[in-house]
Amino acid sequence: MKWHDLNADACPLARAMGVVGDRWTLLILRECFLGVRRFDGFQKRLGVTRHLLAERLKRLETMGVLERHPYQQRPLRHEYRLTPSGKSFAPVLLAMQDWAEHNLPSPTPTPFAFVTRDGGEEVEPVVTDRKSGQELTHRTVLMVPKPATGQSAADLPTTDRAEDAALARPTAK
Amino acid sequence: MKWHDLNADACPLARAMGVVGDRWTLLILRECFLGVRRFDGFQKRLGVTRHLLAERLKRLETMGVLERHPYQQRPLRHEYRLTPSGKSFAPVLLAMQDWAEHNLPSPTPTPFAFVTRDGGEEVEPVVTDRKSGQELTHRTVLMVPKPATGQSAADLPTTDRAEDAALARPTAK
DNA sequence: ATAATGAGTTCTAAAATAGAACCGACTCAG
DNA sequence: CTGAGTCGGTTCTATTTTAGAACTCATTAT
Protein backbone atom coordinates (compact mmCIF):
# COMPACT_ATOMS: atom_id res chain seq x y z
CA MET A 1 0.00 0.00 0.00
CA LYS A 2 1.27 3.41 -0.94
CA TRP A 3 1.32 6.55 1.09
CA HIS A 4 -1.13 8.45 -0.99
CA ASP A 5 -3.75 5.69 -0.95
CA LEU A 6 -4.47 6.57 2.65
CA ASN A 7 -5.94 9.92 1.71
CA ALA A 8 -8.79 8.17 -0.04
CA ASP A 9 -9.39 5.53 2.61
CA ALA A 10 -12.88 5.12 4.00
CA CYS A 11 -11.50 5.22 7.54
CA PRO A 12 -10.96 8.72 8.89
CA LEU A 13 -8.08 7.48 10.99
CA ALA A 14 -6.33 6.22 7.88
CA ARG A 15 -6.88 9.57 6.19
CA ALA A 16 -5.50 11.27 9.26
CA MET A 17 -2.40 9.11 8.91
CA GLY A 18 -2.05 10.43 5.38
CA VAL A 19 -1.56 13.86 6.94
CA VAL A 20 0.07 13.36 10.34
CA GLY A 21 1.33 9.79 9.95
CA ASP A 22 5.00 10.55 10.21
CA ARG A 23 7.55 11.60 12.79
CA TRP A 24 7.47 15.31 12.10
CA THR A 25 4.08 16.62 11.15
CA LEU A 26 2.55 16.54 14.61
CA LEU A 27 5.60 18.29 16.01
CA ILE A 28 5.31 20.98 13.36
CA LEU A 29 1.73 21.50 14.46
CA ARG A 30 2.86 21.66 18.07
CA GLU A 31 5.18 24.50 17.09
CA CYS A 32 2.34 26.23 15.30
CA PHE A 33 0.29 26.13 18.47
CA LEU A 34 3.27 27.51 20.34
CA GLY A 35 3.28 30.45 17.96
CA VAL A 36 6.04 29.58 15.52
CA ARG A 37 5.24 30.71 12.00
CA ARG A 38 8.37 30.88 9.92
CA PHE A 39 10.47 28.34 8.11
CA ASP A 40 13.63 28.91 10.08
CA GLY A 41 11.68 28.97 13.32
CA PHE A 42 10.41 25.46 12.70
CA GLN A 43 13.73 24.29 11.41
CA LYS A 44 15.81 25.54 14.31
CA ARG A 45 13.44 24.39 17.02
CA LEU A 46 12.77 20.96 15.57
CA GLY A 47 16.08 20.07 13.99
CA VAL A 48 14.25 18.58 11.05
CA THR A 49 16.03 18.80 7.71
CA ARG A 50 15.06 21.78 5.58
CA HIS A 51 14.12 19.45 2.80
CA LEU A 52 11.58 17.54 4.82
CA LEU A 53 10.28 20.64 6.51
CA ALA A 54 9.52 22.23 3.16
CA GLU A 55 7.70 19.12 2.04
CA ARG A 56 5.68 18.78 5.23
CA LEU A 57 4.66 22.42 5.21
CA LYS A 58 3.58 22.03 1.62
CA ARG A 59 1.52 19.00 2.49
CA LEU A 60 -0.10 20.68 5.46
CA GLU A 61 -0.94 23.57 3.21
CA THR A 62 -2.50 21.47 0.48
CA MET A 63 -4.46 19.52 3.07
CA GLY A 64 -5.88 22.76 4.38
CA VAL A 65 -4.28 22.59 7.81
CA LEU A 66 -1.92 25.52 7.35
CA GLU A 67 -2.04 28.52 5.08
CA ARG A 68 0.77 30.66 3.75
CA HIS A 69 0.53 34.34 4.36
CA PRO A 70 2.95 36.92 2.93
CA TYR A 71 4.52 39.00 5.66
CA GLN A 72 6.85 41.02 3.44
CA GLN A 73 7.48 41.76 -0.20
CA ARG A 74 11.05 42.17 -1.46
CA PRO A 75 11.97 39.52 -1.03
CA LEU A 76 8.59 37.88 -0.87
CA ARG A 77 8.32 35.85 2.32
CA HIS A 78 5.48 33.82 3.69
CA GLU A 79 4.63 32.65 7.14
CA TYR A 80 2.57 29.63 7.99
CA ARG A 81 -0.59 29.90 10.03
CA LEU A 82 -3.12 27.43 11.27
CA THR A 83 -6.35 27.40 9.33
CA PRO A 84 -9.62 26.68 11.14
CA SER A 85 -8.99 23.03 10.33
CA GLY A 86 -5.54 23.31 11.85
CA LYS A 87 -6.85 25.04 14.92
CA SER A 88 -9.44 22.35 15.41
CA PHE A 89 -6.60 19.89 15.70
CA ALA A 90 -5.88 21.22 19.18
CA PRO A 91 -7.97 18.58 21.01
CA VAL A 92 -5.99 15.81 19.35
CA LEU A 93 -2.78 17.37 20.58
CA LEU A 94 -4.27 17.70 24.04
CA ALA A 95 -5.31 14.06 24.13
CA MET A 96 -2.03 12.82 22.71
CA GLN A 97 0.04 14.93 25.05
CA ASP A 98 -1.94 13.72 28.02
CA TRP A 99 -1.59 10.08 26.99
CA ALA A 100 2.14 10.37 26.42
CA GLU A 101 2.71 12.20 29.67
CA HIS A 102 1.00 9.45 31.62
CA ASN A 103 2.24 6.48 29.65
CA LEU A 104 5.67 7.30 28.27
CA PRO A 105 7.58 8.51 31.28
CA SER A 106 10.55 10.78 31.06
CA PRO A 107 13.10 12.03 33.56
CA THR A 108 12.78 15.57 32.20
CA PRO A 109 9.64 17.56 32.86
CA THR A 110 7.26 18.55 30.09
CA PRO A 111 8.54 21.78 28.53
CA PHE A 112 5.13 23.32 27.93
CA ALA A 113 1.63 23.34 29.33
CA PHE A 114 -1.93 23.94 28.24
CA VAL A 115 -3.57 26.78 30.10
CA THR A 116 -6.91 28.52 29.83
CA ARG A 117 -6.84 31.73 27.81
CA ASP A 118 -8.76 33.49 30.50
CA GLY A 119 -7.23 32.80 33.88
CA GLY A 120 -4.19 30.95 32.63
CA GLU A 121 -4.67 27.93 34.82
CA GLU A 122 -3.36 24.64 33.62
CA VAL A 123 -6.04 22.33 32.27
CA GLU A 124 -6.49 18.59 32.52
CA PRO A 125 -7.96 17.28 29.29
CA VAL A 126 -10.66 14.62 29.39
CA VAL A 127 -12.56 13.30 26.42
CA THR A 128 -16.28 13.31 27.11
CA ASP A 129 -19.50 12.77 25.24
CA ARG A 130 -21.04 16.06 24.21
CA LYS A 131 -24.57 14.99 24.99
CA SER A 132 -24.22 13.04 28.21
CA GLY A 133 -21.04 14.62 29.46
CA GLN A 134 -19.86 11.13 30.34
CA GLU A 135 -16.14 10.51 30.25
CA LEU A 136 -15.13 8.42 27.26
CA THR A 137 -12.58 5.69 27.90
CA HIS A 138 -12.15 2.07 26.90
CA ARG A 139 -14.43 1.20 29.78
CA THR A 140 -17.35 3.34 28.72
CA VAL A 141 -17.07 3.35 24.96
CA LEU A 142 -16.83 0.62 22.35
CA MET A 143 -15.61 0.82 18.79
CA VAL A 144 -17.92 -1.07 16.48
CA PRO A 145 -17.79 -1.69 12.76
CA LYS A 146 -20.68 -0.16 10.88
CA PRO A 147 -22.18 -2.72 8.55
CA ALA A 148 -24.45 0.19 7.67
CA THR A 149 -23.84 1.31 4.11
CA GLY A 150 -22.34 -1.31 1.92
CA GLN A 151 -19.28 -3.22 2.87
CA SER A 152 -18.08 -6.06 4.99
CA ALA A 153 -17.01 -6.29 8.54
CA ALA A 154 -16.84 -9.95 7.68
CA ASP A 155 -13.31 -10.68 8.76
CA LEU A 156 -13.70 -9.23 12.21
CA PRO A 157 -13.53 -11.85 14.95
CA THR A 158 -17.08 -11.78 16.25
CA THR A 159 -16.53 -14.21 19.09
CA ASP A 160 -13.27 -12.56 20.01
CA ARG A 161 -15.07 -9.24 20.01
CA ALA A 162 -17.55 -10.26 22.64
CA GLU A 163 -14.70 -11.73 24.62
CA ASP A 164 -12.77 -8.54 24.28
CA ALA A 165 -15.70 -6.41 25.29
CA ALA A 166 -16.12 -8.53 28.36
CA LEU A 167 -12.46 -8.27 29.09
CA ALA A 168 -12.32 -4.54 28.76
CA ARG A 169 -15.43 -4.01 30.85
CA PRO A 170 -14.77 -3.83 34.56
CA THR A 171 -16.09 -7.33 35.12
CA ALA A 172 -14.81 -9.67 37.79
CA LYS A 173 -12.52 -7.00 39.05
CA MET B 1 17.82 13.38 14.17
CA LYS B 2 17.28 9.67 14.49
CA TRP B 3 14.10 7.82 15.20
CA HIS B 4 15.11 6.53 18.55
CA ASP B 5 16.13 9.94 19.91
CA LEU B 6 12.48 10.83 20.13
CA ASN B 7 11.86 8.34 22.89
CA ALA B 8 14.07 10.35 25.20
CA ASP B 9 12.76 13.77 24.21
CA ALA B 10 11.53 16.09 26.93
CA CYS B 11 8.33 16.70 24.97
CA PRO B 12 5.65 14.06 25.49
CA LEU B 13 4.39 14.65 21.96
CA ALA B 14 7.81 13.83 20.58
CA ARG B 15 7.92 10.67 22.67
CA ALA B 16 4.47 9.78 21.39
CA MET B 17 5.82 10.15 17.86
CA GLY B 18 8.47 7.61 18.77
CA VAL B 19 5.64 5.13 19.25
CA VAL B 20 2.84 6.10 16.89
CA GLY B 21 4.74 8.38 14.50
CA ASP B 22 4.31 6.30 11.38
CA ARG B 23 1.66 5.32 8.93
CA TRP B 24 0.72 2.00 10.52
CA THR B 25 0.89 2.00 14.27
CA LEU B 26 -2.25 3.97 14.89
CA LEU B 27 -4.15 1.76 12.48
CA ILE B 28 -2.88 -1.32 14.29
CA LEU B 29 -4.24 0.16 17.48
CA ARG B 30 -7.54 0.87 15.77
CA GLU B 31 -7.74 -2.82 14.91
CA CYS B 32 -6.95 -3.72 18.50
CA PHE B 33 -9.88 -1.62 19.65
CA LEU B 34 -12.03 -3.35 17.05
CA GLY B 35 -11.11 -6.67 18.62
CA VAL B 36 -8.40 -7.99 16.33
CA ARG B 37 -5.71 -9.87 18.20
CA ARG B 38 -3.77 -12.11 15.88
CA PHE B 39 -0.98 -11.56 13.44
CA ASP B 40 -2.89 -12.65 10.38
CA GLY B 41 -5.92 -10.69 11.47
CA PHE B 42 -3.94 -7.47 11.46
CA GLN B 43 -2.15 -8.38 8.28
CA LYS B 44 -5.23 -9.21 6.26
CA ARG B 45 -7.29 -6.28 7.41
CA LEU B 46 -4.56 -3.67 7.05
CA GLY B 47 -2.63 -4.92 4.06
CA VAL B 48 0.60 -3.98 5.81
CA THR B 49 3.60 -6.13 4.97
CA ARG B 50 4.25 -8.95 7.39
CA HIS B 51 7.72 -7.62 7.97
CA LEU B 52 6.56 -4.22 9.14
CA LEU B 53 3.68 -5.65 11.11
CA ALA B 54 6.04 -7.87 13.06
CA GLU B 55 8.26 -4.92 13.83
CA ARG B 56 5.43 -2.62 14.86
CA LEU B 57 3.89 -5.22 17.12
CA LYS B 58 7.27 -5.75 18.71
CA ARG B 59 7.65 -2.04 19.27
CA LEU B 60 4.20 -1.66 20.74
CA GLU B 61 4.99 -4.53 23.05
CA THR B 62 8.29 -3.12 24.24
CA MET B 63 6.67 0.27 24.75
CA GLY B 64 4.07 -1.35 26.96
CA VAL B 65 1.10 -0.63 24.74
CA LEU B 66 0.39 -4.22 23.78
CA GLU B 67 1.19 -7.49 25.47
CA ARG B 68 1.62 -10.93 24.03
CA HIS B 69 -0.49 -13.66 25.47
CA PRO B 70 -0.18 -17.34 24.57
CA TYR B 71 -3.47 -18.73 23.34
CA GLN B 72 -2.19 -22.22 22.48
CA GLN B 73 0.84 -24.40 23.01
CA ARG B 74 2.00 -26.75 20.23
CA PRO B 75 2.77 -24.80 18.27
CA LEU B 76 3.14 -21.93 20.65
CA ARG B 77 1.09 -19.00 19.44
CA HIS B 78 0.56 -15.58 20.97
CA GLU B 79 -2.12 -13.00 20.53
CA TYR B 80 -1.71 -9.30 21.10
CA ARG B 81 -3.82 -7.45 23.61
CA LEU B 82 -4.02 -3.87 24.72
CA THR B 83 -2.37 -3.20 28.06
CA PRO B 84 -3.85 -0.56 30.37
CA SER B 85 -1.57 1.91 28.64
CA GLY B 86 -2.91 0.77 25.28
CA LYS B 87 -6.49 1.01 26.46
CA SER B 88 -5.91 4.51 27.73
CA PHE B 89 -5.02 5.47 24.19
CA ALA B 90 -8.72 5.33 23.29
CA PRO B 91 -9.36 9.06 23.83
CA VAL B 92 -6.61 9.92 21.36
CA LEU B 93 -8.25 7.73 18.76
CA LEU B 94 -11.58 9.36 19.51
CA ALA B 95 -10.19 12.84 19.10
CA MET B 96 -8.23 11.98 15.98
CA GLN B 97 -11.16 10.22 14.38
CA ASP B 98 -13.43 13.14 15.11
CA TRP B 99 -10.96 15.64 13.67
CA ALA B 100 -10.41 13.63 10.51
CA GLU B 101 -14.10 13.05 9.99
CA HIS B 102 -14.77 16.78 10.15
CA ASN B 103 -11.69 18.00 8.33
CA LEU B 104 -10.64 15.37 5.82
CA PRO B 105 -13.82 14.68 3.90
CA SER B 106 -14.44 11.45 2.08
CA PRO B 107 -17.13 10.26 -0.30
CA THR B 108 -17.40 6.96 1.55
CA PRO B 109 -18.95 6.86 5.00
CA THR B 110 -16.94 6.02 8.11
CA PRO B 111 -16.85 2.22 8.44
CA PHE B 112 -17.09 2.15 12.23
CA ALA B 113 -18.50 4.12 15.13
CA PHE B 114 -17.89 4.71 18.79
CA VAL B 115 -20.84 3.72 20.94
CA THR B 116 -21.47 3.60 24.67
CA ARG B 117 -20.99 0.15 26.19
CA ASP B 118 -24.25 0.49 27.99
CA GLY B 119 -26.95 1.70 25.66
CA GLY B 120 -24.93 1.44 22.47
CA GLU B 121 -25.63 4.97 21.35
CA GLU B 122 -23.11 6.72 19.22
CA VAL B 123 -21.03 9.27 21.08
CA GLU B 124 -19.73 12.65 20.08
CA PRO B 125 -16.31 13.19 21.60
CA VAL B 126 -15.40 16.57 23.06
CA VAL B 127 -12.22 17.37 24.93
CA THR B 128 -13.00 19.18 28.16
CA ASP B 129 -11.20 20.29 31.28
CA ARG B 130 -11.73 17.84 34.09
CA LYS B 131 -12.12 20.49 36.72
CA SER B 132 -14.20 23.15 35.03
CA GLY B 133 -15.87 20.96 32.45
CA GLN B 134 -15.15 23.68 29.93
CA GLU B 135 -14.66 22.60 26.35
CA LEU B 136 -11.03 22.82 25.29
CA THR B 137 -10.36 24.27 21.85
CA HIS B 138 -7.92 26.72 20.33
CA ARG B 139 -10.25 29.46 21.52
CA THR B 140 -10.32 28.48 25.15
CA VAL B 141 -6.90 26.98 25.69
CA LEU B 142 -3.39 28.18 25.02
CA MET B 143 -0.21 26.21 24.73
CA VAL B 144 2.59 27.89 26.62
CA PRO B 145 6.23 26.99 27.06
CA LYS B 146 7.17 26.24 30.64
CA PRO B 147 10.33 28.12 31.51
CA ALA B 148 9.78 26.42 34.85
CA THR B 149 12.53 23.90 35.51
CA GLY B 150 15.69 24.52 33.61
CA GLN B 151 15.76 25.23 29.94
CA SER B 152 15.10 27.90 27.40
CA ALA B 153 12.03 28.94 25.57
CA ALA B 154 14.36 31.60 24.30
CA ASP B 155 13.85 31.10 20.59
CA LEU B 156 10.08 31.34 20.74
CA PRO B 157 8.71 34.45 19.07
CA THR B 158 7.31 36.34 22.00
CA THR B 159 5.81 39.19 20.03
CA ASP B 160 4.41 36.80 17.49
CA ARG B 161 2.94 34.79 20.31
CA ALA B 162 0.86 37.64 21.61
CA GLU B 163 -0.17 38.40 18.08
CA ASP B 164 -1.13 34.79 17.57
CA ALA B 165 -3.08 34.64 20.78
CA ALA B 166 -4.98 37.72 19.71
CA LEU B 167 -5.58 36.19 16.36
CA ALA B 168 -6.87 32.94 17.71
CA ARG B 169 -9.05 34.61 20.30
CA PRO B 170 -12.46 35.60 19.00
CA THR B 171 -11.52 39.26 18.83
CA ALA B 172 -12.82 41.68 16.23
CA LYS B 173 -15.03 38.98 14.82
C1' DA C 1 32.76 44.75 -0.42
C1' DT C 2 31.54 41.33 2.83
C1' DA C 3 28.63 39.10 5.85
C1' DA C 4 24.24 37.80 7.39
C1' DT C 5 19.24 36.47 6.96
C1' DG C 6 15.41 33.85 5.33
C1' DA C 7 13.37 30.46 2.56
C1' DG C 8 14.02 27.37 0.13
C1' DT C 9 16.43 23.60 -3.55
C1' DT C 10 19.79 20.16 -4.79
C1' DC C 11 22.86 16.77 -3.97
C1' DT C 12 24.53 11.88 -1.93
C1' DA C 13 24.34 8.47 1.53
C1' DA C 14 21.78 6.02 4.85
C1' DA C 15 17.53 4.13 6.54
C1' DA C 16 12.81 2.56 6.19
C1' DT C 17 9.19 0.33 3.53
C1' DA C 18 7.00 -2.59 -0.09
C1' DG C 19 6.31 -6.95 -1.99
C1' DA C 20 7.12 -11.42 -2.51
C1' DA C 21 9.06 -15.79 -1.25
C1' DC C 22 10.41 -18.84 2.22
C1' DC C 23 10.32 -21.57 6.77
C1' DG C 24 8.93 -24.42 10.88
C1' DA C 25 5.55 -26.52 13.53
C1' DC C 26 1.89 -28.05 13.52
C1' DT C 27 -3.48 -29.93 11.92
C1' DC C 28 -6.52 -32.11 9.04
C1' DA C 29 -8.41 -34.70 4.81
C1' DG C 30 -7.91 -38.54 2.15
C1' DC D 1 1.64 -41.66 4.88
C1' DT D 2 1.12 -37.78 1.63
C1' DG D 3 -0.24 -33.37 0.51
C1' DA D 4 -2.66 -29.14 1.39
C1' DG D 5 -3.65 -25.59 4.64
C1' DT D 6 -2.89 -22.44 8.79
C1' DC D 7 -0.34 -19.47 11.68
C1' DG D 8 3.31 -16.50 12.82
C1' DG D 9 6.82 -15.12 11.55
C1' DT D 10 11.89 -14.26 8.83
C1' DT D 11 14.62 -13.34 4.73
C1' DC D 12 15.42 -11.38 0.42
C1' DT D 13 15.69 -7.59 -3.18
C1' DA D 14 13.91 -3.28 -5.09
C1' DT D 15 11.94 1.10 -4.26
C1' DT D 16 10.95 5.19 -1.35
C1' DT D 17 11.95 8.18 2.34
C1' DT D 18 14.84 10.51 5.19
C1' DA D 19 19.22 12.55 6.92
C1' DG D 20 22.79 15.77 6.39
C1' DA D 21 25.24 18.96 4.27
C1' DA D 22 26.02 22.28 0.64
C1' DC D 23 24.25 25.59 -2.56
C1' DT D 24 21.05 29.42 -4.47
C1' DC D 25 18.80 33.79 -4.69
C1' DA D 26 17.15 38.23 -3.16
C1' DT D 27 17.84 41.53 0.00
C1' DT D 28 19.46 44.08 4.20
C1' DA D 29 23.12 45.22 7.52
C1' DT D 30 28.16 46.47 8.49
Side-chain angles (χ1 to χ4, degrees), chain A residues 54-122:
Chain A
E55 202 160 279
R56 293 298 181 263
L57 289 173
K58 212 167 287 174
R59 184 161 81 206
L60 286 169
E61 194 195 349
T62 66
M63 298 308 273
V65 177
L66 296 182
E67 62 190 3
R68 280 185 344 145
H69 217 272
Y71 69 90
Q72 69 172 39
Q73 313 298 113
R74 340 200 18 77
L76 181 58
R77 291 283 180 267
H78 299 90
E79 59 183 17
Y80 297 86
R81 295 188 191 174
L82 293 164
T83 62
S85 164
K87 289 176 182 175
S88 71
F89 195 75
V92 181
L93 243 48
L94 273 284
M96 183 83 85
Q97 198 271 348
D98 192 59
W99 177 79
E101 198 158 10
H102 291 310
N103 293 281
L104 304 173
S106 161
T108 38
T110 301
F112 57 83
F114 293 100
V115 301
T116 56
R117 280 187 189 268
D118 56 307
E121 296 142 275
E122 195 162 345

Side-chain angles (χ1 to χ4, degrees), chain A residues 147-163:
Chain A
T149 323
Q151 109 257 40
S152 72
D155 37 357
L156 272 177
T158 44
T159 28
D160 276 8
R161 268 221 61 65
E163 207 184 305

